[in-house]
Amino acid sequence: RRRRRRRDDEENDDKKSATSVLQDSFGKYGLIKTSDYHKHQRSFEMWMAEVKKIPSFTGSKFELQNYFAEFVEDFNTATFPHVKYYNYDEWEQQEYLKQKKNKQKSSAAQRDQFAHEENRKRVAQAKQEQDMQMLRSTMMQSGRLADMKRQAEIRSEMRHAYKTGDMERYNKLQRQLGEK
């Protein structure tokens, strides 16, 4: 007797755990009846097209009711292969919003990239202008340096002309130096 009771208790425990799992999923997304065809028509049509591989049903009304009864059973027991079949319109709206959000993120990233590229171009242009300014000032300085060297040469020639007594050459060099 004791062994028999234990076996019965174990069997009851197994049955309880199996039914508790079914109870958790049964009606998870709500309960519908076969009379709710028009409410769930779009979801049913998508289920027919994607799960049953019947894109446009052209059979009898009786067959349609049988397929919808199967749909109702899967709906009530929450055994569809994807969440979209419970409310296709709502799922489609959520997908649209996700795609829109992703596009906004990508366009924001593109704007950031564009702004970064523009900033990089501005910095490069400013550096190029600074380099050109430095080159101009260097050229001006080198021109001044050449001019100063030429003046030093003229003075040296003037001294030499004065020491040798070549006053004509001396006066000519003095005028040249005064013009500058």
Side-chain angles (χ1 to χ4, degrees), residues 151-168:
Q151 286 178 5
E153 286 176 7
I154 292 174
R155 282 192 189 108
S156 172
E157 283 183 42
M158 277 176 57
R159 267 182 269 160
H160 179 34
Y162 184 76
K163 285 181 183 177
T164 57
D166 190 3
M167 293 309 272
E168 190 179 318

Side-chain angles (χ1 to χ4, degrees), residues 5-77:
R5 279 186 189 164
R6 273 191 221 157
R7 271 188 273 154
D8 289 343
D9 288 342
E10 287 174 6
E11 288 175 12
N12 286 339
D13 287 343
D14 290 340
K15 287 179 184 177
K16 285 179 185 176
S17 65
T19 57
S20 67
V21 171
L22 288 176
Q23 287 175 350
D24 289 343
S25 63
F26 186 80
K28 181 177 180 181
Y29 296 98
L31 297 173
I32 62 172
K33 303 176 213 165
T34 53
S35 61
D36 292 332
Y37 174 76
H38 295 290
K39 265 176 132 176
H40 298 280
Q41 185 174 359
R42 179 131 160 89
S43 297
F44 172 66
E45 288 171 354
M46 294 310 298
W47 175 79
M48 285 285 287
E50 294 176 8
V51 175
K52 293 297 181 181
K53 307 288 188 237
I54 304 173
S56 58
F57 184 74
T58 56
S60 68
K61 187 173 182 177
F62 178 74
E63 285 180 286
L64 184 68
Q65 287 174 339
N66 286 340
Y67 278 121
F68 191 70
E70 187 178 341
F71 175 82
V72 167
E73 182 181 338
D74 286 352
F75 188 101
N76 290 338
T77 57

Side-chain angles (χ1 to χ4, degrees), residues 113-151:
Q113 184 179 2
F114 180 74
H116 174 72
E117 191 67 26
E118 286 295 316
N119 189 33
R120 190 187 63 74
K121 284 179 183 178
R122 272 189 255 117
V123 167
Q125 189 175 15
K127 180 162 176 33
Q128 187 178 14
E129 285 180 24
Q130 185 181 16
D131 290 346
M132 287 299 290
Q133 188 68 14
M134 204 166 159
L135 181 64
R136 282 187 202 116
S137 69
T138 303
M139 286 178 67
M140 287 177 67
Q141 287 177 356
S142 66
R144 286 182 189 162
L145 185 62
D147 194 36
M148 289 170 65
K149 283 182 182 177
R150 180 69 186 138
Q151 286 178 5

